[in-house]
Amino acid sequence: MVFKVARVETAPFDGQKPGTSGLRKKVKVFLQPNYLQNFVQSTFNALSAEKVRGATLVVSGDGRYFSKDAIQIIIKMAAANGVRRIWVGQNGLLSTPAVSAVIRERVGSDGSRASGAFILTASHNPGGPHEDFGIKYNMENGGPAPEAITDKIFENTKTIKEYLIAEGLPNVDISLIGVTNFEGPDGPFDVDVFNSASDYVKLMKSIFDFQSIKKLLSSPKFTFCYDALHGVAGAYAKRIFVEELGAQESSLMNCVPKEDFGGGHPDPNLTYAKELVARMGLGKSGTQGEPPEFGAAADGDADRNMILGKRFFVTPSDSVAIIAANAVQTIPYFSGGLKGVARSMPTSAALDVVAKHLNLKFFEVPTGWKFFGNLMDAELCSICGEESFGTGSDHIREKDGIWAVLAWLSILAYKNKNSLSDEKLVTVEDIVRQHWAVYGRHYYTRYDYENVDAGAAKELMAYLVKLQSDLTEVNNIVKGIRSDVATIVHADEFEYKDPVDGSVSKHQGIRYLFEDGSRLVFRLSGTGSEGATIRLYIEQYEKDPSKTGRDSQEALAPLVETALKLSKMKEFTGRSAPTVIT
């Protein structure tokens, strides 16, 4: 049966601008006739011919509502645009890190390799008929499309007049593993449905010492739990933690992927991972029984992670610093040493101190994983992270939630290799406190004001930029608010010149830097689907070992008050409290 190529007339939609993580909108927006088709065709048109005609592309995602319909539409459009074959994870499920791994590592039975991917995800945003959907394109290095491509996609969406789609091509059953063959005007077209976990698990086993982690997880003294928040991490959790590493199946929570994430918000933080937080002894009410030694959670597409010890939260900024400090000893992949480390600008400077201590190359980049990808492709960076629960390495070109969990389990296994028979284990909290004793502690918090009126958010940011023109005046205001905070010595809008390609990224966040190493950072975030999100980052550095054990919110209280009053947060936004505090 030969399919035909139909050219369908269409007209542009406003606002199809892909952000740092693709195009994210409410499902109802994507359900408009031709909305998804316009974006997909605009993407094909933005790519060079050899990346489309005769190419192999991956199409999968986090399984959220509308994914299965979207996959069938993209398959038909790919066929019409001359793509040779499409790879789909079984049931349309592939985590974002697994897509990156598949692009980089998988070889088809005919020797084919993928040159790109459509990933269907809105990451940590809720799913369901009334919630969010998203689509992004990743390149042949496994990383997100660079700005040159996303800008071209956006320009194409503004002028699109038609899209191509295959007529007479039936829906493919993506629940069954195997290859389905079709014939089109340009010759054969195949859809290959494969096991979602195999390539990713193989890669993880080449990075970590699974035997030492298995020894830790099989010790009756070490207890463990993992919460996938009903996201795509559930497609990997049983295979990795139970089948490969010997954890109890009862240690897995919410590990069945659901289109609406079980009605929850698949964002691994202290606010939304309520069940895990309670189980780890960090809930508002008392716990039922003794909490496990180690707990972790993932977001919808499994690229983010949260690490918890018994009654102890590890900040993402500390997490990447601790992984970097211990990687060479504990993770075989890094045994030859680290090429360098990097963090996003709003992330705390804990990693900077490790880099200085270990004499490593260090980079501070804007928010967006593609900046790390450039450094990795140039072999300048091995480990990187961002405060928004993203940690990763150069094994792929996306952040990787399960990788971060395995990194922590590797450190715990190494620290406990001689103490599994002793009375007391070295705990997550012990490891963090030992790290603070050596490197100092960066007290850190983030305030998120979600769905703020976009106009008010812009006014607040403009006001903060204007203030920066006169540091003397700023310091007078600050001292009027709190006399016990340090003097501001530098204030700017963060700008980044990429050392690899020379590109310049401007307006990447407003910074106020204090002489004691403390920082206030204000950013508008582009990951929500409605309104604006203002993120406020507050950081206080403490080198004195006798002062590294304080409660974080108490230690940060003077700077928090300073930030809120200096920015006139309440006056501009009408909000007396943030939506989320991390």
Side-chain angles (χ1 to χ4, degrees), residues 24 419 421 452 562:
R24 291 183 191 166
S419 52
S421 53
V452 170
T562 302

Side-chain angles (χ1 to χ4, degrees), residues 436-437 439-443 516-518 539-550 555:
W436 291 341
Y439 298 101
R441 178 177 181 184
H442 293 259
Y443 288 101
D516 63 351
S518 300
E539 175 181 357
Q540 173 90 43
Y541 182 47
E542 183 54 75
K543 275 192 292 205
D544 182 345
S546 69
K547 293 182 182 170
T548 56
R550 297 172 67 195

Side-chain angles (χ1 to χ4, degrees), residues 395-416:
H395 66 291
I396 55 170
R397 296 295 179 268
E398 290 279 4
K399 46 187 173 259
D400 191 343
I402 289 175
W403 175 91
V405 173
L406 292 170
W408 266 93
L409 291 173
S410 300
I411 295 167
L412 283 159
Y414 178 81
K415 301 272 188 191
N416 284 293

